[in-house]
Amino acid sequence: MRKWLLPTLALLCFFLESVFVQVLPSEMFNMERVMVPRFVMIVIVIVTMFTTTTKGMTYGFILGLLYDLMYTDLIGVYLFAYTFLAYGVSVIMKLFHINIFTVTLVSLLSISVLDFFVYGIMLLIKTTTITLEDFLMIRLLPTLILNFAFVILLFVPLRKQFFKIIDTNKDE
């Protein structure tokens, strides 16, 4: 069971992101805000925290490539960002113990860095005209709120399974 938990969770979250955007558009709540689900980034953070740096970066590379191929016109942005952020998470986690607070904080920090990176690339290639202030208020803040809820909803019920993965990795 534990062997397939993370790959299954990763693929489920990959497809859940696109379903979420289709099922719950921001117009449904009469909002001019953009809530971007970053469920894949959260899974990469969890994989990196509960396994090894190499496994986290591998998930980041594969899921980033899939994300680029499925959802973007510019191949490599998410591939690089997910892989780099997985490495960054592993460096940060050498300083902290794993608990719900660190999982949440590191996930939200990773999402913020990811969104700023993508925003910067889009500004650089001139595919967006949104100002930094609008980006922060219209896109980043609602994205962080949505993904905060997802981290809590994902981590709390599966917490024991994730810690068993650590025990399994120690035995190997």
Side-chain angles (χ1 to χ4, degrees):
M1 161 73 179
R2 279 179 258 147
K3 182 178 179 179
W4 297 104
L5 176 67
L6 293 177
T8 304
L9 184 63
L11 287 175
L12 181 69
C13 286
F14 180 78
F15 292 115
L16 189 62
E17 277 189 14
S18 63
V19 170
F20 185 87
V21 170
Q22 297 298 321
V23 173
L24 291 172
S26 58
E27 294 87 26
M28 184 178 201
F29 301 108
N30 292 325
M31 294 176 46
E32 291 184 14
R33 307 280 187 248
V34 179
M35 296 184 297
V36 182
R38 296 290 186 196
F39 306 152
V40 171
M41 186 69 242
I42 293 167
V43 168
I44 292 169
V45 167
I46 288 172
V47 167
T48 306
M49 285 179 157
F50 287 93
T51 63
T52 63
T53 303
T54 304
K55 195 174 276 189
M57 290 178 71
T58 303
Y59 272 73
F61 183 87
I62 293 169
L63 292 169
L65 180 62
L66 281 173
Y67 198 95
D68 281 336
L69 291 173
M70 295 286 291
Y71 303 121
T72 68
D73 295 331
L74 187 61
I75 305 298
V77 173
Y78 285 92
L79 181 146
F80 173 77
Y82 284 169
T83 306
F84 176 76
L85 286 169
Y87 178 75
V89 168
S90 71
V91 170
I92 290 171
M93 289 316 296
K94 291 178 182 172
L95 304 172
F96 299 103
H97 294 287
I98 299 173
N99 56 44
I100 192 162
F101 177 74
T102 56
V103 170
T104 304
L105 186 65
V106 171
S107 293
L108 295 179
L109 178 65
S110 297
I111 291 166
S112 297
V113 171
L114 173 67
D115 276 1
F116 270 109
F117 176 73
V118 172
Y119 173 68
I121 294 292
M122 297 302 180
L123 276 177
L124 189 66
I125 61 174
K126 299 189 186 327
T127 57
T128 187
T129 56
I130 189 171
T131 64
L132 179 62
E133 183 180 332
D134 286 343
F135 168 75
L136 292 172
M137 296 308 295
I138 293 172
R139 184 179 172 116
L140 187 63
L141 185 60
T143 296
L144 291 175
I145 292 168
L146 168 69
N147 289 290
F148 172 78
F150 183 77
V151 169
I152 302 301
L153 291 173
L154 178 71
F155 187 73
V156 171
L158 296 177
R159 178 179 56 231
K160 290 181 182 176
Q161 292 298 320
F162 293 143
F163 281 107
K164 286 180 184 176
I165 291 169
I166 290 178
D167 294 338
T168 303
N169 285 336
K170 287 180 183 174
D171 294 339
E172 294 177 355

